[in-house]
């Protein structure tokens, strides 16, 4: 079971938020969050249309339950005034030879960006991976045009390990590269 | 999965092999192939022990069925004297935004290496991907110590798009970096690399 200790953080906008692992009861709130964050889906691989397919309470409960029971998967939500404003997760490679590498992903509602929340959530993920007995490396992918995210990851100690050229193609025919980043956690 | 016309290839040692699409009835031959291949598992992310768990007719048929249902996948085997001696595949992204990218995997049985079979297999899937209406890019990963595979990919026009430190762990203090390579199938190999 992967559960992070709840962490209360005061943001630069003065708001107090709680970073914690979601429980099955949070499924409805998670879906409300996903609907809100996918309104602008530019920085995701999944489009808003595709995301709607897995935004059902049953599926979300199942996902939360599976993560809760798996020592190699961590989900984090940030709650502010009974609403989820950020979602993040980390998962470990499934093979013997890649289980020392964890991947992570994070998203934040627009009004909670640039207030220090990303830093706090990523630090929570780093702390979890550092305490994990097997994880040595934390990796992520970010679109090259997402400059604020890249700057945040750099600040948190991530460095570039590759650039997947034209890895994402938008409906209008334009592309973006996927920048692969990592940091050691031990 | 797309199905290609079977193709005969003559190897450097004069032997003829047939490159063709995987079918459901191939499961026993696939198991035989994996038994031989994984006797040396250094070049794979899956260990021989993990491969054992995948070597059942049910699991192999399940994967073949999955591939057959997806028009953006291709799975090829090379057959010689009734045995599979190489296999190669392309799996494209399932999302609208990554359907244009195909991940490539290939393996060649130990006693069939150095005979031009890898080149023939890769060229067959590159040709298929080039003719495919949606695929624009092929990508793959290779461990940094696998010089022979790296040389083959480079010869076929793949170029490096990243190097992931310590992406594979073989034991305490025994790691390999993963070199990420890609090939744009909308441009010719000569524009793209050294091929």
């Amino acid at each position: 079971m992967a559960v992070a200790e709840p962490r209360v953080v005061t943001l630069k906008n003065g708001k107090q938020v709680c970073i914690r692992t979601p429980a099955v009861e949070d499924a409805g709130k998670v879906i409300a969050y996903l609907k809100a964050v996918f309104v602008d889906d530019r920085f995701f691989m999944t489009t808003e249309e595709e995301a709607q397919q897995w935004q059902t309470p049953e599926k979300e409960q199942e996902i939360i339950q599976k993560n809760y029971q798996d020592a190699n998967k961590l989900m984090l939500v940030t709650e502010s005034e009974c609403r989820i404003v950020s979602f993040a997760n980390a998962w470990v490679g499934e093979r013997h030879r890649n289980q020392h590498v964890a991947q992570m992903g994070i998203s934040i509602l627009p009004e909670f960006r640039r207030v220090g929340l990303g830093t706090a959530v990523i630090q929570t993920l780093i702390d979890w991976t550092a305490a994990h007995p097997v994880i040595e490396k934390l990796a992520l992918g970010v679109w090259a045009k997402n400059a604020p995210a890249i700057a945040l990851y750099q600040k948190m100690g991530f460095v570039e390990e590759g650039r997947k050229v034209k890895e994402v193609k938008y409906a209008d025919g334009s592309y973006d590269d996927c920048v692969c980043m990592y940091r050691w956690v031990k | 999965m797309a199905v290609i016309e079977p193709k005969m290839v003559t190897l450097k040692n004069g032997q003829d092999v047939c490159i063709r699409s995987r079918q459901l009835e191939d499961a026993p031959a696939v198991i035989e192939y994996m038994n031989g291949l994984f006797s040396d598992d250094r070049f794979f992310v899956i260990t021989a022990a993990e491969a054992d768990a995948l070597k059942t007719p049910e699991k192999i048929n399940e994967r073949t069925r999955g591939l057959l249902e997806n028009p953006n996948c291709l799975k090829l085997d090379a057959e010689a004297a009734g045995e599979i001696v190489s296999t190669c595949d392309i799996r494209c992204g399932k999302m609208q935004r990554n359907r244009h990218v195909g991940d490539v995997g290939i393996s060649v049985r130990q006693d069939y290496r150095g005979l031009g079979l890898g080149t023939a297999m890769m060229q067959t899937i590159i040709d298929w991907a080039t003719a495919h209406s949606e695929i624009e890019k092929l990508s793959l990963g290779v461990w940094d110590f696998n010089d022979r595979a790296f040389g083959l990919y480079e010869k076929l026009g793949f170029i490096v798009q990243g190097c992931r430190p310590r992406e594979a762990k073989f034991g305490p203090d025994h790691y390999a970096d993963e070199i990420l390579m890609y090939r744009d199938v909308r441009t010719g190999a000569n524009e793209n690399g050294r091929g």
Side-chain angles (χ1 to χ4, degrees):
Chain A
M1 178 162 87
V3 181
E5 277 289 305
R7 187 180 282 195
V8 176
V9 179
T10 304
L11 303 176
K12 286 181 199 161
N13 62 4
K15 284 197 174 157
Q16 259 198 356
V17 297
C18 178
I19 300 168
R20 60 175 177 82
T21 302
V24 172
E25 304 85 79
D26 293 313
K29 281 185 197 171
V30 171
I31 290 169
Y33 167 77
L34 292 172
K35 284 192 196 308
V37 82
F38 270 99
V39 165
D40 177 6
D41 65 7
R42 279 174 302 154
F43 297 129
F44 302 111
M45 181 59 88
T46 313
T47 61
E48 183 185 15
E49 187 192 348
E50 286 168 332
Q52 283 168 2
Q53 294 170 10
W54 37 262
Q55 286 167 5
T56 69
E58 298 73 29
K59 270 207 179 133
E60 198 52 49
Q61 284 173 7
E62 195 187 310
I63 294 167
I64 291 171
Q65 186 71 29
K66 270 195 185 146
N67 278 266
Y68 217 86
Q69 289 165 348
D70 190 334
N72 289 330
K73 290 190 171 80
L74 180 72
M75 278 170 107
L76 291 177
V77 293
T78 302
E79 199 167 9
S80 169
E81 294 161 349
C82 295
R83 189 166 67 115
I84 290 172
V85 299
S86 169
F87 181 90
N89 61 340
W91 62 98
V92 174
E94 290 181 353
R95 297 297 177 190
H96 194 70
R97 286 178 176 163
N98 65 15
Q99 59 181 349
H100 65 297
V101 182
Q103 302 281 327
M104 62 155 281
I106 177 173
S107 61
I108 301 176
L109 283 187
E111 66 261 41
F112 279 81
R113 292 175 194 166
R114 299 178 177 275
V115 290
L117 180 56
T119 302
V121 172
I122 294 168
Q123 191 59 57
T124 308
L125 286 177
I126 292 171
D127 292 346
W128 177 75
T129 55
H132 189 282
V134 179
I135 302 171
E136 298 173 21
K137 177 180 174 179
L138 183 57
L140 58 85
V142 55
W143 302 162
K145 289 188 180 121
N146 193 353
I150 292 173
L152 172 62
Y153 298 138
Q154 282 169 341
K155 189 186 91 175
M156 302 303 291
F158 287 83
V159 293
E160 188 171 326
E161 63 178 352
R163 190 170 282 246
K164 294 182 169 173
V165 181
K166 292 188 175 180
E167 192 74 3
V168 54
K169 183 179 184 179
Y170 294 101
D172 66 1
S174 64
Y175 299 89
D176 204 354
D177 297 343
C178 174
V179 179
C180 306
M181 304 182 82
Y182 80 99
R183 59 159 286 164
W184 306 116
V185 297
K186 292 286 192 284
Chain B
M1 178 174 77
V3 175
I4 64 155
E5 280 289 309
K7 179 168 120 180
M8 294 304 290
V9 177
T10 304
L11 303 180
K12 286 179 194 165
N13 64 356
Q15 193 176 358
D16 285 334
V17 299
C18 177
I19 297 175
R20 56 165 181 78
S21 290
R22 168 85 45 100
Q23 289 159 349
L24 281 173
E25 52 269 31
D26 293 326
V30 173
I31 293 171
E32 199 57 40
Y33 174 70
M34 289 175 76
N35 282 337
L37 190 71
F38 278 94
S39 61
D40 175 10
D41 67 3
R42 280 176 302 154
F43 300 122
F44 308 111
V45 70
I46 296 172
T47 61
E50 286 169 330
D52 280 343
L54 305 171
K55 283 192 299 203
T56 68
E58 295 74 28
K59 289 224 166 118
I60 286 163
N61 283 338
E62 194 186 311
R63 270 179 292 153
T64 306
R65 257 184 232 109
L67 289 165
L68 287 166
E69 281 164 13
N70 188 340
N72 287 1
C73 286
L74 186 68
K75 179 90 185 176
L76 302 181
D77 293 316
E79 197 176 317
E83 292 180 354
I84 293 175
V85 296
S86 173
T87 177
C88 190
D89 54 46
I90 296 183
R91 289 152 208 263
C92 283
K94 288 178 180 160
M95 300 290 175
Q96 288 169 28
R97 288 178 178 168
N98 66 8
R99 292 169 64 90
H100 65 297
V101 182
D103 277 321
V104 176
I106 181 171
S107 61
V108 180
R109 209 170 76 181
Q110 286 83 344
D111 53 335
Y112 277 80
R113 291 176 190 167
L115 301 174
L117 181 54
T119 303
M121 295 292 276
M122 289 291 289
Q123 194 58 59
T124 308
I125 60 163
I126 290 169
D127 291 345
W128 176 80
T130 304
H132 194 285
S133 61
E134 274 186 318
I135 302 174
E136 299 175 20
K137 176 185 174 182
L138 294 180
S139 61
L140 56 83
V142 55
W143 303 148
D144 58 357
F145 60 85
N146 194 352
D147 296 334
R148 179 181 267 175
F150 183 83
L152 169 66
Y153 303 142
E154 212 176 29
K155 185 182 85 175
L156 289 166
F158 283 80
I159 56 176
V160 174
Q161 61 175 353
C163 179
R164 298 182 136 157
R166 294 192 164 195
E167 196 68 9
K169 184 172 185 176
F170 295 90
D173 287 319
H174 183 194
Y175 300 90
D177 297 349
E178 184 187 22
I179 301 168
L180 304 176
M181 304 182 82
Y182 81 101
R183 187 188 191 282
D184 186 337
V185 295
R186 297 262 169 116
T187 62
N190 290 330
E191 295 166 56
N192 209 24
R194 298 179 193 173

